[in-house]
Amino acid sequence: MQLRSLLVGSAMLALLAGCATGPTDQPDTAVAESAQVNYQGTLPCRNCDGIELDVTMMGEEYGALEERTFTLQADYRNHPESPPAENYEGNWEVLTGTPSDPDATVYELTPDGDGQTYYFLRIDEQTLELIDPERRRFQNGEMLRLQRQ
């Protein structure tokens, strides 16, 4: 629940402050070169030391949707309320284009059941960046990046 609040708040800030734009290098290779790819990073948190995000994507980019699955775990570091980890799983989709780059690759992670859909811009083969549902980058986008493990 806390992660959703952070993301909604970040989206509102991005709408009010404008979104960062700039060139991004988009290699032609897919994120899922192998059957499983893992990305990790720590997102900013208002009430804690950070939200550790761990995303594992299984399946091939051009495979069947039911074969493209993911798990996402969010852990809050030193949060005063000590919320439990948030765990989601579901399917991921490949989208093309953002408002600032029509050739960009975006991964849409849709959890099964309850949970919000996550959007990640592929910066390069090693880096994903959390973006808003309108596929716009946040002004503090470099703080919202996950690195391939």
Side-chain angles (χ1 to χ4, degrees), residues 4-147:
R4 286 188 207 129
S5 297
L6 171 70
L7 294 174
V8 169
S10 296
M12 291 304 293
L13 283 174
L15 287 173
L16 294 174
C19 54
T21 59
T24 58
D25 295 324
Q26 300 297 328
D28 291 331
T29 58
V31 72
E33 293 170 341
S34 64
Q36 180 172 313
V37 180
N38 180 256
Y39 292 90
Q40 295 177 349
T42 303
L43 305 180
C45 176
R46 274 187 290 200
N47 302 323
C48 66
D49 292 341
I51 303 167
E52 293 179 0
L53 205 61
D54 187 332
V55 176
T56 301
M57 298 168 65
M58 286 78 65
E60 300 293 331
E61 189 168 304
Y62 299 104
L65 178 62
E66 59 273 3
E67 295 174 1
R68 290 191 313 265
T69 61
F70 77 90
T71 60
L72 183 148
Q73 181 172 345
D75 291 303
Y76 298 87
R77 292 190 324 198
N78 297 319
H79 193 284
E81 297 175 14
S82 300
E86 294 181 23
N87 295 291
Y88 302 101
E89 52 186 51
N91 294 92
W92 58 275
E93 188 74 46
V94 181
L95 308 175
T96 302
T98 66
S100 62
D101 182 358
D103 297 322
T105 298
V106 175
Y107 299 105
E108 176 185 66
L109 282 61
T110 305
D112 297 332
D114 284 344
Q116 100 180 27
T117 300
Y118 294 87
Y119 296 86
F120 290 96
L121 172 67
R122 183 178 66 196
I123 301 298
D124 57 40
E125 291 181 35
Q126 300 299 314
T127 311
L128 298 182
E129 182 178 305
L130 183 68
I131 58 176
D132 76 13
E134 301 298 318
R135 297 192 231 170
R136 294 176 302 212
R137 296 176 77 183
F138 294 108
Q139 197 165 26
N140 61 342
E142 59 278 346
M143 296 176 66
L144 303 172
R145 292 186 178 175
L146 306 178
Q147 297 299 315

